[in-house]
Amino acid sequence: MNEKYMKVAYKEALKAYNKKEIPVGAIIVKNNKIISKGYNNRQKKYNLLGHAEINAILLAEKKLKDWRLDGCEMYVTLEPCNMCKMLINESRLDKVYYLVPQNNDTNKEIKYIQTNDCKELQNRYKEILKQFFKNLRDNS
């Protein structure tokens, strides 16, 4: 796991947060090079599929001109939802690293690895998540 890549995913999550989207960011890396980035944009695009992971996968597929992402790894701030996990499996990503877990079933076909190497970044991200949902409750 590379902390440098997780920091980039975190910056993508901040973009979502600043646009009043659930703050999730994702990047895809191949051969130690970032090939795509994504953040949540469901509300802004009125698109159910506007998850950070899906946005990053679509950009990576376009860049590589292939739907198969063999040899690629994803770094994402929040453990992917079950829908995203299905697409991750279909895209053949090798590994997925995430900062914060969710309470959902982990698909065992891909290695989902919760990183504990980035405690400071993990704590900052948890605070952003808390603040986002607090703001959502306060404004409803």
Side-chain angles (χ1 to χ4, degrees):
M1 203 290 298
N2 190 319
E3 186 174 357
K4 163 180 90 170
Y5 296 139
M6 195 58 82
K7 285 181 179 177
V8 176
Y10 175 78
K11 287 180 184 175
E12 290 297 302
L14 289 177
K15 289 179 186 178
Y17 179 83
N18 290 331
K19 294 179 182 205
K20 297 184 179 8
E21 297 276 354
I22 296 174
V24 179
I27 67 162
I28 296 178
V29 175
K30 183 168 187 164
N31 299 326
N32 296 315
K33 183 179 178 194
I34 297 171
I35 61 169
S36 69
K37 302 175 187 177
Y39 58 87
N40 277 5
N41 63 3
R42 279 175 57 164
Q43 302 300 323
K44 185 90 171 164
K45 299 281 184 174
Y46 308 110
N47 185 344
L48 174 66
L49 301 176
H51 290 220
E53 301 92 330
I54 294 171
N55 291 332
I57 287 170
L58 292 173
L59 286 172
E61 289 173 343
K62 192 177 217 175
K63 184 164 189 172
L64 297 176
K65 295 180 174 59
D66 196 347
W67 62 268
R68 295 173 211 86
L69 300 180
D70 297 305
C72 296
E73 298 177 340
M74 178 180 281
Y75 290 78
V76 61
T77 53
L78 187 63
E79 180 184 6
C81 70
N82 288 329
M83 176 181 70
C84 288
K85 285 180 180 183
M86 287 175 42
L87 291 170
I88 288 166
N89 285 334
E90 289 296 317
S91 70
R92 301 182 182 174
L93 282 160
D94 289 353
K95 292 181 185 173
V96 177
Y97 297 96
Y98 61 90
L99 275 176
V100 176
Q102 290 195 55
N103 292 329
N104 59 22
D105 297 330
T106 298
N107 189 323
K108 301 297 183 197
E109 290 182 40
I110 294 233
K111 287 193 171 194
Y112 288 90
I113 304 163
Q114 181 184 0
T115 179
N116 291 315
D117 299 341
C118 311
K119 285 292 186 192
E120 180 186 328
L121 190 61
Q122 190 177 51
N123 290 335
R124 279 192 286 165
Y125 180 65
K126 285 179 182 178
E127 284 304 312
I128 286 172
L129 277 176
K130 283 182 199 172
Q131 188 60 49
F132 176 81
F133 287 109
K134 180 185 181 308
N135 291 347
L136 198 60
R137 283 188 306 275
D138 291 348
N139 292 327
S140 50

